[in-house]
Amino acid sequence: MTEQVLQSGTHIARFDAVKKEEDVFEAQVFVRLTREPEIAETYIPAGLFGSLQEALDNARQRAERALKEHEF
């Protein structure tokens, strides 16, 4: 698993890339308040990509934007 975490104040964003069928990777982002359990996370799909690195890069960019724009 490649999951990574970013934090901004009291909010966190977890992001990862998950392999799907036919060598496609889905970039995923989950955001929440640090005091909330994981079940309170907001899921933000960040697209499908042809490589793990490309999916992770896009997931990180999407996570940064979610924190900056307070998408919770």
Side-chain angles (χ1 to χ4, degrees), residues 3-32:
E3 181 180 273
Q4 298 179 41
V5 177
L6 298 175
Q7 184 167 354
S8 176
T10 59
H11 293 87
I12 65 169
R14 295 186 304 117
F15 63 96
D16 199 357
V18 177
K19 186 172 182 180
K20 298 294 187 178
E21 63 281 339
E22 299 181 22
D23 296 324
V24 173
F25 295 86
E26 179 182 25
Q28 299 178 342
V29 176
F30 299 87
V31 292
R32 66 181 166 91

Side-chain angles (χ1 to χ4, degrees):
M1 186 174 232
T2 56
E3 181 180 273
Q4 298 179 41
V5 177
L6 298 175
Q7 184 167 354
S8 176
T10 59
H11 293 87
I12 65 169
R14 295 186 304 117
F15 63 96
D16 199 357
V18 177
K19 186 172 182 180
K20 298 294 187 178
E21 63 281 339
E22 299 181 22
D23 296 324
V24 173
F25 295 86
E26 179 182 25
Q28 299 178 342
V29 176
F30 299 87
V31 292
R32 66 181 166 91
L33 286 168
T34 55
R35 68 176 182 267
E36 297 294 331
E38 288 185 11
I39 58 172
E41 289 180 322
T42 298
Y43 169 69
I44 301 172
L48 298 172
F49 301 91
S51 73
L52 175 62
Q53 191 59 54
E54 186 179 16
L56 282 173
D57 291 345
N58 280 277
R60 181 181 187 86
Q61 290 172 11
R62 186 64 182 91
E64 289 171 348
R65 190 173 97 207
L67 290 174
K68 180 181 176 186
E69 296 180 8
H70 301 108
E71 296 179 47
F72 315 109

